[in-house]
Amino acid sequence: FSFSVNTSYGQTDFAPFSGVGQGSFTAVYTATDECGNSSSCSSIVNVIDNEEPTAICDQLTTTSLTSTGQSVVAASDLDDGSFDNCSPVGFLASGDNEPFGSSVTFDCADVGDTIAVQVRVREIFNLLSFNDCMVEVIVEDLLPPVIACPMNMTVDCDNDFSDLEVFGAPTVIDVCGATFVENSIENLDDCGTGTVSRFFTATDNQGNTSNCTQLITVENNSPFDGTTIQFPADFTTNEVCILPAELDPLDLPTGFQTPVIPTTACSSIFTNYTDQLFQIEFPACYKIVRTWTVIDECVYDEFDPNTGGIWTNQQVIKVEDI
């Protein structure tokens, strides 16, 4: 006689059972004699998995925040080769004693810290069969802050540059917070024209920095035209025996001394005078014709006098003997 076997999982020989999944299976055994008579019996084979998965985690993982201010790390990304002898495995993770989920989320509060994350490795076909391992996650913020400077501009030289905040402030954006500092360089000539450069540096809590520059161009849009010059008035005295040397501008009373010129940041004013002495008949002793010259070097061009920037006026000083 002979024996044969037939199983519900497809095996038809007496070799050791292998590759059989979990479940309940039937094995039918048949004996046949030389006359063709046969008889069969069956057995129920229950295949179970009593072994938990083997959990293997990365020992140390580094993650960086994105522009949203968070970093989402999938639980599967923390695996380092976990397996099970009978079933595919899935992954869950929990950080800071939070409920297990398919991922772990980190934010600005975690930056600079090492966070312990528990990874759970589960059998897909039996979710109650699992094993855990631990991963240390270092959270970094590598994104520099975003800084936008106030726009470049052109202004007149009569502006006050002692407080540059009137020309705007930068906009700084960083998901974890940042501050900025300002430095400036004035490159202005004696006429108040040139440039003012403002340099801004934004720094976040992790020391990441960004920079930008605002350029302020300073022009003289309203050159000094001399209309506000107050030249000294003519002066007459009857002080006997006063000498011409005693009639210098600062020896005269107020109002008769020197030109009065309003101060402006957009000009560079110089004054000068020349005297001509004239002896005249009684009752006058003599007179001085004092020619005043006022020059704005920001306008005047000695090689092209037609550009303006020079003004003259004569003051008559008389000495009478009465």
Side-chain angles (χ1 to χ4, degrees), residues 157 159-164 167 182-189 192-199 214-216 218 265:
C157 56
N159 278 273
D160 180 7
F161 297 103
S162 63
D163 181 11
L164 297 178
F167 301 105
E182 174 185 354
N183 293 293
S184 62
I185 296 178
E186 288 189 9
N187 186 20
L188 302 176
D189 59 22
T193 60
T195 59
V196 177
S197 299
R198 303 175 71 196
F199 307 97
Q214 179 194 28
L215 181 65
I216 303 172
V218 185

Side-chain angles (χ1 to χ4, degrees), residues 145-163:
V146 177
I147 183 170
C149 268
M151 63 183 296
N152 295 337
M153 59 181 65
T154 299
V155 300
D156 195 74
C157 56
D158 62 359
N159 278 273
D160 180 7
F161 297 103
S162 63
D163 181 11

Side-chain angles (χ1 to χ4, degrees), residues 7 21 44-45 70 79 97-99 113 122-123 166 172 205-207 248 270 293 302 317 320:
T7 66
I44 302 299
V45 180
Q70 293 184 328
D79 174 55
N97 297 317
E98 295 179 352
D113 293 335
R122 302 191 302 177
E123 294 182 11
V166 298
V172 178
N205 297 330
Q206 298 305 306
D248 288 340
F270 292 88
T293 301
E302 62 179 321
I317 302 169
E320 296 181 345

Side-chain angles (χ1 to χ4, degrees), residues 56-63 73 77-80 113-117 119 133-140:
I56 305 174
C57 290
D58 286 329
Q59 292 184 351
L60 187 65
T61 295
T62 300
T63 186
V73 179
D77 289 340
L78 302 175
D79 174 55
D80 194 25
D113 293 335
T114 300
I115 310 299
V117 176
V119 179
C133 55
M134 299 299 297
V135 179
E136 289 186 336
V137 179
I138 298 176
V139 184
E140 297 179 331

Side-chain angles (χ1 to χ4, degrees), residues 307-321:
T307 58
I310 183 169
W311 303 270
T312 60
N313 186 75
Q314 288 187 335
Q315 177 190 22
V316 177
I317 302 169
K318 292 182 181 179
V319 178
E320 296 181 345
D321 184 8

Side-chain angles (χ1 to χ4, degrees), residues 197-306:
S197 299
R198 303 175 71 196
F199 307 97
F200 298 94
T201 299
T203 305
D204 67 14
N205 297 330
Q206 298 305 306
N208 302 307
T209 61
S210 295
N211 304 282
C212 68
T213 302
Q214 179 194 28
L215 181 65
I216 303 172
T217 302
V218 185
E219 297 180 347
N220 186 356
N221 296 319
S222 301
F224 182 65
D225 62 6
T227 57
T228 55
I229 300 175
Q230 298 180 28
F231 284 100
D234 294 340
F235 176 72
T236 300
T237 180
N238 57 8
E239 185 176 347
V240 180
C241 297
I242 188 170
L243 299 175
E246 299 176 87
L247 295 172
D248 288 340
L250 296 183
D251 295 328
L252 301 182
T254 301
F256 302 95
Q257 295 179 339
T258 59
V260 177
I261 306 169
T263 302
T264 170
C266 305
S267 60
S268 180
I269 304 296
F270 292 88
T271 61
N272 196 7
Y273 70 91
T274 58
D275 285 346
Q276 290 179 290
L277 178 64
F278 295 91
Q279 301 291 338
I280 54 179
E281 297 180 356
F282 182 85
C285 294
Y286 61 87
K287 72 177 180 179
I288 298 173
V289 176
R290 181 164 291 166
T291 302
W292 286 99
T293 301
V294 177
I295 292 177
D296 180 3
E297 289 196 335
C298 298
V299 178
Y300 180 68
D301 183 355
E302 62 179 321
F303 300 105
D304 185 8
N306 293 327

